[in-house]
Amino acid sequence: MEYTELSAYDLPAGTVTSWTPRADAGRWLQDPRELSPGHEAHLRDSEPGSWIGSVLRVPGPYEPEPLRRAIHAWMSRHEVLRTTVTRDAGQGWRRVTAPAEAVAIRDLVVGDLTTDQVTALLPSLLADVSPTAWPHCVLASVVPAAPDPDSDSDPEPERADHFVLAFGADHSVMDAYSQLLWFEEIVSLYDAARQGVPDAELRTLEVGSHVDFSAEDRKLAMTLAADGEPVRRWLDFLGPEATFPRYGTGVTRPARDDAEAARPQASRSYWLATADQTDDLSARSRARGASAQSGVLAAFAHAARRVHGPDRLRFVLPMHTRYAPQHAAAVGWYVGLCPVDLDLAGVDPVLRTVSAGQGEQTSVVDGDALTATIERVYAAVSAGKPLVRYSFARIAELGGITDGPHFAVSYVDTRFVPGAERWSTWEARTLRSPAYGTDELYLWFLRTHDGLNVSTRYPDTPEAHAAMDALVAELRDCFRAFGTENMREAVA
């Protein structure tokens, strides 16, 4: 599993079809449930063409009608995919929602396209989503072209037992966990639809509604006060200028002009560790009373300090807000922000170089340093975690904060998401749209059945490329000291 742009996915030549939800204007109902402050901020600040999504190779032959029924069932199950907003003069945004029976799925066959044409077209189809115009999620399928029987090149034939399916959604209705849940859900729905399961049964899923969650989120946000502890703690984290921290010197910076602001960011994905190496670090973290998240962030902090020198790392850690069981399998935007202020001053390096015999040297884990680092990471995350449940958009409004995150680090353990063990077979991948500018560095650590992956998005500048290359190389060196084949630990 990787998190990349669609351009990094191996799309086949074939027949492309777009799948778009539609509902008659008269079927939309006024919805009294209010928008969350984060949703309102997103409506105000979102960039055109910004989306997230997923893509996979659906096992089984392509059958249009079962696919239509599967997509409709998915839309029916998750109310957030059937709701949108309208603008009322003088009253701001108002929500309207369509009942499941009012939604139809329109398919449009675009045509038979080459690989290059498919690669160019699909991102433009998915980029049609907008926070202010429904539908907020669209899909596209690609049925691979049959090999040319007259070709002399003898290409490896495309498999006839699958087709590619991708979706793009606006962030107001989707978070990263929703992207992951989609793989198993859409494949299961398609299989059931092909077997003739009735629509009423396909649509049935006991799951909470993100629309309800948003209304509750707003109620909680409205209890905040400008002089309350959540606002004060965020302002303390941001400092006198109320600005978010950056990574390193010169890695991220404000754009010098419009041309730099419009420059696409670099987007790269790296495998850092095997499953054994990640499991080893996780076990060591648990033995120290923390989780694998603390271990991975400790390795990251160690690598950043080795490469770029800072004893203190300050960043934003996105964390889920799926606190109620009914929201565990729901599609929606369940994300809050955790400020992390990590000070490693006085902590020894996690790796120690020792003799391996015959004049060779190797890196081993310094257990005391690892313990100290994990404990500090755990404490830093725990200190910021109570703020996750409070809407940062509301805190920013009360605290006069106009800046946004420049340095964010995310960690997600995907191994227990339904269907995760089959993602490799399905060539499943989560997607993000291109981003622009020179002022952001995002790192997404994904723990999977295959090991640990990190996806990066950063300015396309020589300084940022050099910084990320050095950081990834150091991270890989760090993880080589873990794993079942290298359990040696330095002793004092």
Side-chain angles (χ1 to χ4, degrees), residues 237-246 314 401 403 406:
F237 174 74
L238 298 178
E241 303 299 322
T243 56
F244 279 84
R246 289 178 167 82
R314 298 168 60 243
I401 302 167
D403 197 25
H406 305 291

Side-chain angles (χ1 to χ4, degrees), residues 24-311:
D24 293 337
R27 302 301 302 275
W28 292 95
L29 305 175
Q30 293 294 324
D31 194 324
R33 291 169 292 182
E34 294 187 282
L35 278 63
S36 68
H39 191 169
E40 289 184 336
H42 179 69
L43 289 165
R44 182 188 67 234
D45 300 334
S46 64
E47 297 290 334
S50 177
W51 56 274
I52 61 174
S54 297
V55 62
L56 84 163
R57 295 178 183 258
V58 180
Y62 172 73
E63 297 181 28
E65 195 54 34
L67 181 58
R68 184 197 315 279
R69 295 178 60 223
I71 294 171
H72 188 270
W74 183 58
M75 301 283 297
S76 301
R77 288 176 165 194
H78 301 287
E79 187 180 35
V80 71
L81 300 176
R82 298 181 280 103
T83 188
T84 189
V85 294
T86 60
R87 190 79 172 179
D88 279 358
Q91 297 190 35
W93 296 102
R94 296 178 64 87
R95 184 184 296 280
V96 292
T97 302
E101 61 271 16
V103 176
I105 307 300
R106 187 190 73 177
D107 60 310
L108 177 65
V109 178
V110 179
D112 298 330
L113 306 180
T114 66
T115 298
D116 289 345
Q117 289 172 327
V118 173
T119 301
L121 176 67
L122 251 60
S124 66
L125 291 177
L126 304 185
D128 283 346
V129 298
S130 160
T132 58
W134 192 83
H136 302 304
C137 180
V138 297
L139 300 95
S141 61
V142 186
V143 180
D148 183 357
D150 298 325
S151 173
D152 295 328
S153 60
D154 191 25
E156 182 179 343
E158 291 278 2
R159 291 175 293 176
D161 59 347
H162 77 272
F163 61 95
V164 173
L165 184 65
F167 80 82
D170 182 69
H171 227 323
S172 61
V173 301
M174 188 74 58
D175 62 10
Y177 195 69
S178 303
Q179 293 174 269
L180 297 169
L181 289 170
W182 178 74
F183 298 122
E184 171 72 16
E185 188 169 5
I186 198 67
V187 170
S188 296
L189 286 170
Y190 181 63
D191 287 346
R194 289 183 61 218
Q195 293 167 16
V197 173
D199 287 341
E201 187 174 337
L202 290 178
R203 298 170 189 168
T204 301
L205 179 68
E206 296 298 326
V207 67
S209 169
H210 184 263
V211 182
D212 291 334
F213 174 86
S214 295
E216 292 300 317
D217 186 54
R218 184 173 192 85
K219 289 180 183 178
L220 178 61
M222 292 301 108
T223 67
L224 295 170
D227 59 352
E229 183 179 3
V231 176
R232 177 186 59 77
R233 291 187 59 190
W234 267 107
L235 289 174
D236 288 346
F237 174 74
L238 298 178
E241 303 299 322
T243 56
F244 279 84
R246 289 178 167 82
Y247 177 84
T249 302
V251 177
T252 61
R253 55 172 172 74
R256 297 189 180 98
D257 50 37
D258 290 345
E260 274 201 344
R263 179 187 298 172
Q265 289 193 327
S267 175
R268 298 175 69 181
S269 172
Y270 312 83
W271 286 98
L272 300 176
T274 66
D276 284 344
Q277 291 166 339
T278 312
D279 290 346
D280 182 8
L281 178 57
S282 176
R284 294 174 189 246
S285 301
R286 291 195 304 273
R288 290 156 173 86
S291 65
Q293 179 192 63
S294 294
V296 170
L297 292 179
F300 162 66
H302 158 77
R305 186 170 63 161
R306 281 281 297 265
V307 172
H308 298 118
D311 282 334

Side-chain angles (χ1 to χ4, degrees), residues 243-473:
T243 56
F244 279 84
R246 289 178 167 82
Y247 177 84
T249 302
V251 177
T252 61
R253 55 172 172 74
R256 297 189 180 98
D257 50 37
D258 290 345
E260 274 201 344
R263 179 187 298 172
Q265 289 193 327
S267 175
R268 298 175 69 181
S269 172
Y270 312 83
W271 286 98
L272 300 176
T274 66
D276 284 344
Q277 291 166 339
T278 312
D279 290 346
D280 182 8
L281 178 57
S282 176
R284 294 174 189 246
S285 301
R286 291 195 304 273
R288 290 156 173 86
S291 65
Q293 179 192 63
S294 294
V296 170
L297 292 179
F300 162 66
H302 158 77
R305 186 170 63 161
R306 281 281 297 265
V307 172
H308 298 118
D311 282 334
R312 187 182 183 194
L313 274 178
R314 298 168 60 243
F315 55 89
V316 170
L317 179 69
M319 301 185 78
H320 79 83
T321 55
R322 296 170 181 266
Y323 304 130
Q326 65 266 29
H327 294 293
V331 170
W333 191 10
Y334 298 89
V335 179
L337 298 182
C338 175
V340 179
D341 190 342
L342 176 61
D343 188 355
L344 295 182
V347 177
D348 290 333
V350 168
L351 298 187
R352 184 184 299 181
T353 301
V354 299
S355 173
Q358 299 181 341
E360 296 184 0
Q361 292 185 322
T362 187
S363 294
V364 295
V365 179
D366 185 318
D368 291 339
L370 180 65
T371 296
T373 304
I374 287 176
E375 287 178 347
R376 292 202 187 185
V377 169
Y378 181 78
V381 174
S382 296
K385 194 172 182 178
L387 299 176
V388 174
R389 65 194 296 259
Y390 298 106
S391 166
F392 178 76
R394 178 60 174 164
I395 288 172
E397 180 184 356
L398 293 170
I401 302 167
T402 58
D403 197 25
H406 305 291
F407 177 26
V409 182
S410 173
Y411 173 85
V412 179
D413 188 341
T414 69
R415 294 171 304 153
F416 305 107
V417 178
E421 70 281 357
R422 296 193 284 173
W423 289 347
S424 294
T425 302
W426 295 343
E427 298 182 34
R429 185 174 296 187
T430 50
L431 304 171
R432 62 180 182 270
S433 61
Y436 304 86
T438 57
D439 213 16
E440 293 178 344
L441 167 62
Y442 277 67
L443 302 171
W444 294 272
F445 289 97
L446 296 179
R447 187 180 182 188
T448 76
H449 287 293
D450 298 318
L452 184 70
N453 178 271
V454 65
S455 178
T456 61
R457 175 166 69 75
Y458 56 90
D460 188 11
T461 63
E463 298 86 355
H465 278 289
M468 289 301 98
D469 287 346
L471 178 65
V472 168

